[in-house]
Amino acid sequence: MNHKSRPEDKNQPAHAYDPRLGSPWWKHARSRFSTVGVALSVMLVVWFALSLAISLSLKFALPSLGIDAKHIPTWVNLLASNGPLYVIAMPIAVAVLRKVPKLPTRRFSLGGKQFFALLIMCVPIMYAGSLVGIVLSSLLSGGTAVSNVSQLASSLDPLAAFAFMVLIAPVFEEWIFRKQIIDRLRRYGEKTAIVISALAFALFHGNLFQFFYAFGIGLVFAYVYMRTSRLRYSIAMHMIINCNGGVVAPWIMRQFDPKALESLQSAGAQMQRQSESLKQLESIDQGSIAGLAGVTLYGLALLALVVAGIVLLIVWRKRFEFYITPEELLPGTRLRTVANPGMIAYGVLCVALMVGELFFRG
């Protein structure tokens, strides 16, 4: 990506460019940021209102049809809860976002080496962020918090998990959090648009378990879209990461029998008593040993990717490119511009979800 891309603004604002705080231009820019926050807030409110309505409808309708709600497949509940988000709430949000004009830019290709280098960089970011989220969730909840997303991934069959987590979610989430937000905010600064995109994406997840790693990989996704203006690259990265966490990892863990590890540890501790050790080893079936080997190899592969990702982050730290945009916000004005009623409302709604997830669902 060794190119110099400077967007051409075909939608000049009503006021002449004057980035000083309090100027008519600045107030106009701040209003646009607020519109983005309002759009995201409307998306959340519509989504949860419709999901609640559908949930209550099913709760009262199913018994009358002689159907036990406990026997409804997990994927059906997931479709009922997330369907309104993708089909209704997100399109409504985009309709609100249309009040903020897009800034069209040239599209650039991303080479295979660069794509996989950036993807591998996501691995240490993802696991470091996940660790921070787990520790904070545990500390704040007194050790009672449970990741509902992890439970969902383990309860879904691989086909349903692939459909929802790999095919559907990345497409819609990248469409709203990368294309719709960055296209409308990039005129005010590339770094500003990238951070807002990643922060909105992280808050959207509504729990501390995912917040930090979603913010980290969201920065990478947003950077990739900023430099290429092609959504397919960030969608592909998002799909690969979700496939690992939502399909591959749960499937590998299901092949592992914890009792096999206990038997191996016990046998190792009793090497002096060879006959008992052999009996314990014989009690372990080949499937359990294969599962244990699979988990071990998977863990080693992830460790290698984490190390490779850290090395790439260090090597690439000076290769990331950022350019001045036509209406760049000056340092010192960015926080005042972003801290507006719309963005604050979205943040409050998402934090409320995090609190509810942390203390009332654990």
Side-chain angles (χ1 to χ4, degrees), residues 2 9 36 45 51 76 88 100 105 116 122 155 185 201 205 217 249 284 312 322:
N2 296 319
D9 191 356
V36 173
V45 172
S51 296
V76 174
I88 300 175
V100 181
T105 62
F116 285 107
C122 290
S155 64
L185 297 183
F201 175 63
H205 286 77
I217 63 175
I284 305 173
L312 285 171
F322 300 97

Side-chain angles (χ1 to χ4, degrees), residues 126-175:
M126 180 174 59
Y127 282 101
S130 182
L131 180 61
V132 172
I134 291 171
V135 171
L136 278 180
S137 297
S138 180
L139 289 175
L140 292 174
S141 67
T144 61
V146 177
S147 174
N148 290 328
V149 176
S150 298
Q151 290 184 331
L152 175 64
S154 60
S155 64
L156 282 173
D157 66 84
L159 183 60
F162 185 80
F164 283 98
M165 296 184 177
V166 181
L167 297 181
I168 299 176
V171 173
F172 282 94
E173 290 176 9
E174 292 305 303
W175 174 61

Side-chain angles (χ1 to χ4, degrees), residues 25-180:
W25 177 90
W26 177 80
K27 291 179 180 179
H28 187 64
R30 190 169 187 265
S31 174
R32 286 180 168 179
F33 274 87
S34 186
T35 299
V36 173
V38 168
L40 294 173
S41 299
V42 169
M43 180 183 72
L44 286 183
V45 172
V46 171
W47 175 26
F48 284 106
L50 290 175
S51 296
L52 179 61
I54 292 174
S55 176
L56 292 176
S57 298
L58 291 175
K59 181 178 180 181
F60 291 105
L62 291 177
S64 63
L65 298 174
I67 301 174
D68 187 352
K70 295 180 180 180
H71 296 155
I72 297 296
T74 304
W75 68 266
V76 174
N77 292 322
L78 193 59
L79 181 63
S81 62
N82 285 356
L85 170 65
Y86 302 136
V87 178
I88 300 175
M90 282 188 174
I92 290 176
V94 173
V96 176
L97 283 170
R98 285 180 182 150
K99 296 179 180 179
V100 181
K102 294 181 180 181
L103 179 61
T105 62
R106 290 180 59 191
R107 295 184 177 184
F108 294 91
S109 297
L110 184 66
K113 290 183 179 179
Q114 294 170 321
F115 175 87
F116 285 107
L118 289 162
L119 178 62
I120 292 172
M121 290 180 210
C122 290
V123 179
I125 293 173
M126 180 174 59
Y127 282 101
S130 182
L131 180 61
V132 172
I134 291 171
V135 171
L136 278 180
S137 297
S138 180
L139 289 175
L140 292 174
S141 67
T144 61
V146 177
S147 174
N148 290 328
V149 176
S150 298
Q151 290 184 331
L152 175 64
S154 60
S155 64
L156 282 173
D157 66 84
L159 183 60
F162 185 80
F164 283 98
M165 296 184 177
V166 181
L167 297 181
I168 299 176
V171 173
F172 282 94
E173 290 176 9
E174 292 305 303
W175 174 61
I176 192 83
F177 291 107
R178 243 58 70 184
K179 183 172 179 58
Q180 300 300 328

